[in-house]
Amino acid sequence: MTSQKEAAAGSNGHLRIAVDIGGTFTDLAIFDEKNGELSFGKALSTHGQLVDGIQNTLNGAGANIDEGYLFLHGSTIAINTLLERNGARTALLITEGFRDIYEIGRVNRPDAYNLFFSKHEPLIPRSLRFEVPERLLADGSVHHALDEARVRELARHLKSLNVEAVAILLLHSYRNPAHEIRVREIVQEEIPGVFVTASHELSQEYREFERVSTAASNAYVGPRVSAYLGELEAHLGEKGFPGDFYAVQSTGGLFPVEHARRECVRMLESGPAAGVIGAQAICAQLGLGDAIAFDMGGTTAKAGVISEGKPLTSSSALIGGYEKALPIQIPMIDIFEVGTGGGSIARLEVGNALRVGPQSAGSIPGPVCYRRGGTEPTVTDANLILGRLDAENFLGGEMLLDKEGTERAMQEKVAGPLGLGFVEAADGILRIAVTAMSHAVKAVTTERGLDAGAFTMVVYGGAGPLHASAIARELGIRKVLIPFAPGYFSAYGMLFSDLRYDYVRSVFRKLEDLSFDEIEAIYREMEQEGRKALGDSAVTPESVEIERGADMRYVGQEHAVSVELPAEFFERQDRAAIKERFDSVHAVRYGTSAPAEAADLVSLRMTVRGIMRKPPRNAVEEGSATPPANALRATKDVYFRSCGGFVSTPVYRRPLLQSGNRVEGPALVEEHASTTVIQPGDVAVVDAYGNLQISIGSEQE
């Protein structure tokens, strides 16, 4: 096993390189551990050939990849494969008698009176779902032995059907995985090279529908994601990268690429999760305990919450929305996403109703203003028309934007049919986009029992700072923070990610009957497994942190909530403290609790985290309240509805602003990959680390 220091010394590597692929841009952040410097890069994403976009980003930043020792990567390839339904031809092997549980699901019907309601569609059609003669009981004992001859026969049949992936779900394998392991072995013997996923490898929890959906999703995306990661790994080797390759999980933690190629579904929200980790680092630096992390890129807008210094997490997610959801039963940061980004297309629907997104122009062809063949106006085009983007200074002047062509497209496609001017149409597009994006914030705050107005909103992503103030006003948020390098922030956040392994065991015990010795034995087993995984890693963390938790519910309830439980609760064998913690979490989540009611302990959870060295963030030069003269780049006309139209607006260069500088709205603050809009009535102050802390509105309002 090689430590970080030894790895760097052995390969002359001293760069930690992080790359995040988004729907429009691919972002790069590099931490030089030799001199403590950070550098960034950005290039358009190259869909179909994602590796080319990564190499373009590296080339554009002048990165010396042969000096790297750690390559960190987040990508939307897994989630896009699920949402676009273009994954592998996948088969399902399932316990006899349970062929249709994947299709039956939970029979959720959230809108009882919707005559056009349609339920979820399985990723695997019924014709590719096959029953395996076997049965385990709930305690893991064998009720009916596995029919290996039948499994082998099924495997040969699957080979004749040219399946690319196989998912395996056998009842109660979370208690005893022996049957699943044997089925996997037989399939691999009969169909060499096929991608195989057994449910126990991903989830050690009960609930057969959620487990089969998780296994099916992993198998469905597996061949594509595994091939892509393998291609990228080979490409890095060809370019002389001597270090180790780690992927970002949906928890924001890192795991080796060989694990990511098997457990691809853990990468579903890798990029957005890294952004939340970056926001957590900013909050820790500023002593800010509670914040909303809001990320707006080219395709989507995402929101997560940091509470008491930690990101709020979930033990599962519903991919595709509640109505048609495919559940994924793995730990992840609680992130809600809406299909509104800078590239979201504005179009007229039946009755000339204006709609923005979820369709996106992406990077190909991109917004009209990119001059890459786009013909449909987007949110980015609207910002250009309103003067909030500069046609001559986009990405520091590297990409010239077509303002006249954008105005023509806006007039032809939107404004003309609505009987509006193109400026009014552009303003309407932004108003609709802001309302849609505010729903993402509400989903992780109001719907979780939290008051959004009590949080500071940390806004990033290339398009986020353009709309931060408007979204905050929509939600009653009074404080907004635009962090360092917002246009590269998800890649930047990866540099703050730690090695992480999550474990869960379903136990089903009444709290009042709990055997602490039994529970302690389960926790020790999970901890040992996690420490071994860290020990097997190519890099050695600076320290190891262990977090315990449990899923709990009141007796008689069906669903549980996850509760973080300090180890001292178990050391003291303090049932009352465990119950009080559960009651408080339940009250926040549901607005009510029942301290007098008994509770069940459903599952035990453990996170084993290997703490990595974090990049420093040095203080910026201190100045006065007045920005230095050279920070003012220009004065231009920018549209603000509250002012009744275009008003003369100062434009500042963010890299030249100093700590203590105060900028009153209306104003624009430009940097290489993003522009911050400071609306009339807002006041932005540059803090000691260069963050823009914006007070929404003013004392006089």
Side-chain angles (χ1 to χ4, degrees):
M1 184 177 63
T2 307
S3 69
Q4 293 180 52
K5 189 178 293 186
E6 290 168 342
S11 65
N12 295 318
H14 52 91
L15 301 180
R16 194 187 307 177
I17 302 168
V19 174
D20 173 54
I21 295 180
T24 305
F25 287 98
T26 296
D27 298 330
L28 168 73
I30 301 176
F31 173 40
D32 188 333
E33 297 200 358
K34 182 181 291 185
N35 56 30
E37 292 182 354
L38 286 164
S39 56
F40 302 95
K42 183 183 283 283
L44 288 167
S45 297
T46 51
H47 301 286
Q49 293 293 329
L50 297 176
V51 173
D52 292 346
I54 293 173
Q55 189 59 51
N56 293 342
T57 310
L58 292 166
N59 293 341
N64 298 318
I65 198 168
D66 57 336
E67 296 179 0
Y69 83 93
L70 198 57
F71 185 90
L72 311 177
H73 185 46
S75 171
T76 57
I77 184 171
I79 186 68
N80 287 346
T81 301
L82 277 185
L83 296 177
E84 295 168 9
R85 297 286 180 129
N86 56 7
R89 178 174 169 82
T90 306
L92 173 65
L93 297 180
I94 193 165
T95 298
E96 190 173 46
F98 291 84
R99 180 183 183 186
D100 293 317
I101 61 171
Y102 184 30
E103 191 159 349
I104 295 170
R106 294 289 171 201
V107 202
N108 293 330
R109 192 181 179 93
D111 189 353
Y113 301 101
N114 181 0
L115 298 179
F116 301 99
F117 170 78
S118 58
K119 64 192 298 292
H120 75 275
E121 296 180 15
L123 298 169
I124 304 172
R126 194 171 194 271
S127 60
L128 290 177
R129 303 198 295 263
F130 301 92
E131 297 184 351
V132 174
E134 68 86 40
R135 185 62 184 270
L136 298 177
L137 298 180
D139 62 0
S141 61
V142 177
H143 176 67
H144 181 63
L146 176 67
D147 187 341
E148 294 192 11
R150 176 58 179 159
V151 175
R152 199 169 294 277
E153 180 183 328
L154 285 172
R156 290 169 180 167
H157 180 57
L158 295 181
K159 185 176 183 180
S160 72
L161 295 175
N162 297 316
V163 301
E164 303 167 272
V166 178
I168 303 167
L169 183 284
L170 303 181
L171 241 59
H172 305 303
S173 59
Y174 63 91
R175 288 286 193 215
N176 178 2
H179 284 186
E180 279 197 353
I181 291 171
R182 184 57 187 144
V183 172
R184 183 187 62 197
E185 291 171 348
I186 293 172
V187 171
Q188 290 172 331
E189 290 169 9
E190 295 294 336
I191 321 176
V194 73
F195 189 94
V196 185
T197 292
S199 70
H200 75 274
E201 298 171 313
L202 298 167
S203 174
Q204 293 286 327
E205 294 181 76
Y206 77 119
R207 297 191 184 280
E208 67 276 5
F209 168 56
E210 285 76 8
R211 290 174 58 241
V212 71
S213 178
T214 303
S217 298
N218 194 67
Y220 185 77
V221 306
R224 184 177 181 186
V225 176
S226 182
Y228 160 69
L229 292 175
E231 179 187 355
L232 178 55
E233 189 174 23
H235 178 82
L236 293 173
E238 291 169 3
K239 293 297 181 180
F241 175 66
D244 296 293
F245 183 2
Y246 280 67
V248 181
Q249 305 176 60
S250 298
T251 58
L254 305 173
F255 67 150
V257 68
E258 58 267 25
H259 292 189
R261 294 185 66 179
R262 295 193 307 267
E263 302 174 12
C264 312
V265 77
R266 296 191 187 277
M267 288 184 64
L268 284 178
E269 296 286 359
S270 58
V276 177
I277 296 299
Q280 178 191 20
I282 295 289
C283 291
Q285 189 175 48
L286 299 176
L288 188 64
D290 300 326
I292 297 165
F294 182 83
D295 175 8
M296 181 185 177
T299 307
T300 58
K302 287 83 65 175
V305 169
I306 296 158
S307 178
E308 297 180 355
K310 294 183 179 181
L312 294 186
T313 59
S314 172
S315 59
S316 63
L318 296 175
I319 304 301
Y322 182 69
E323 293 86 352
K324 298 183 179 181
L326 290 169
I328 306 294
Q329 195 177 44
I330 58 170
M332 58 179 65
I333 291 178
D334 190 2
I335 293 171
F336 192 87
E337 186 169 322
V338 294
T340 306
S344 292
I345 294 171
R347 66 190 187 282
L348 299 180
E349 294 189 338
V350 177
N352 269 1
L354 180 59
R355 183 179 176 89
V356 180
Q359 290 80 10
S360 174
S363 59
I364 301 174
V368 176
C369 62
Y370 282 11
R371 305 174 188 262
R372 295 169 62 88
T375 60
E376 303 290 335
T378 67
V379 172
T380 295
D381 295 314
N383 276 301
L384 176 63
I385 288 172
L386 299 182
R388 300 178 182 193
L389 294 176
D390 195 311
E392 306 296 323
N393 200 46
F394 188 71
L395 289 181
E398 294 176 8
M399 180 184 289
L400 300 180
L401 303 181
D402 181 5
K403 186 174 182 180
E404 291 183 1
T406 299
E407 291 173 348
R408 286 196 302 270
M410 184 69 73
Q411 186 65 41
E412 176 186 341
K413 299 285 187 177
V414 179
L418 291 176
L420 303 173
F422 59 78
V423 171
E424 293 174 286
D427 180 54
I429 288 170
L430 293 194
R431 292 171 69 182
I432 293 171
V434 164
T435 299
M437 289 186 288
S438 70
H439 292 159
V441 178
K442 290 177 183 177
V444 295
T445 53
T446 307
E447 294 182 15
R448 303 290 189 265
L450 304 172
D451 176 13
F455 287 73
T456 296
M457 188 165 68
V458 181
V459 180
Y460 49 93
L466 281 164
H467 307 91
S469 178
I471 295 168
R473 289 169 187 263
E474 181 89 3
L475 295 167
I477 293 172
R478 310 305 296 173
K479 295 288 184 181
V480 168
L481 186 146
I482 310 297
F484 173 73
Y488 313 93
F489 201 72
S490 288
Y492 175 66
M494 294 178 192
L495 301 177
F496 291 86
S497 293
D498 298 312
L499 303 176
R500 175 168 174 156
Y501 294 91
D502 293 274
Y503 303 94
V504 59
R505 300 287 188 272
S506 293
V507 293
F508 305 108
R509 299 286 188 276
K510 283 186 169 57
L511 181 59
E512 61 187 26
D513 300 331
L514 183 66
S515 167
F516 281 94
D517 290 340
E518 177 192 5
I519 298 303
E520 191 63 34
I522 297 172
Y523 274 129
R524 281 200 302 269
E525 177 190 337
M526 292 191 287
E527 181 177 341
Q528 289 168 3
E529 193 173 342
R531 288 186 180 275
K532 182 181 184 303
L534 290 178
D536 292 340
S537 298
V539 294
T540 301
E542 293 187 333
S543 60
V544 176
E545 288 185 358
I546 307 295
E547 293 181 3
R548 293 184 174 192
D551 292 347
M552 298 182 66
R553 66 189 180 191
Y554 292 112
V555 173
Q557 282 186 322
E558 168 63 13
H559 293 282
V561 295
S562 295
V563 183
E564 186 177 325
L565 298 173
E568 54 263 30
F569 287 6
F570 297 91
E571 293 170 2
R572 301 196 310 258
Q573 300 191 1
D574 193 341
R575 285 184 175 83
I578 295 173
K579 179 62 163 55
E580 288 172 9
R581 179 64 60 90
F582 165 59
D583 289 334
S584 64
V585 172
H586 196 281
V588 171
R589 183 67 178 84
Y590 295 108
T592 184
S593 64
E597 296 293 328
D600 288 333
L601 205 63
V602 178
S603 297
L604 301 179
R605 297 186 176 276
M606 174 164 285
T607 297
V608 180
R609 184 181 287 107
I611 306 302
M612 303 282 283
R613 179 186 172 192
K614 303 298 188 288
R617 178 67 186 121
N618 299 323
V620 298
E621 183 179 352
E622 189 172 350
S624 64
T626 303
N630 63 348
L632 181 65
R633 185 182 71 80
T635 300
K636 59 182 289 192
D637 289 338
V638 180
Y639 181 90
F640 291 98
R641 187 172 61 258
S642 61
C643 296
F646 285 89
V647 295
S648 181
T649 303
V651 182
Y652 293 94
R653 299 182 179 94
R654 184 170 182 181
L656 298 182
L657 292 177
Q658 300 169 334
S659 171
N661 287 171
R662 177 185 172 95
V663 177
E664 297 184 4
L668 301 180
V669 179
E670 292 182 344
E671 53 194 300
H672 184 270
S674 189
T675 298
T676 300
V677 174
I678 302 172
Q679 297 225 31
D682 293 352
V683 176
V685 176
V686 182
D687 69 19
Y689 299 100
N691 304 301
L692 296 178
Q693 298 203 23
I694 305 175
S695 297
I696 304 301
S698 67
E699 297 298 326
Q700 290 75 32
E701 277 192 319

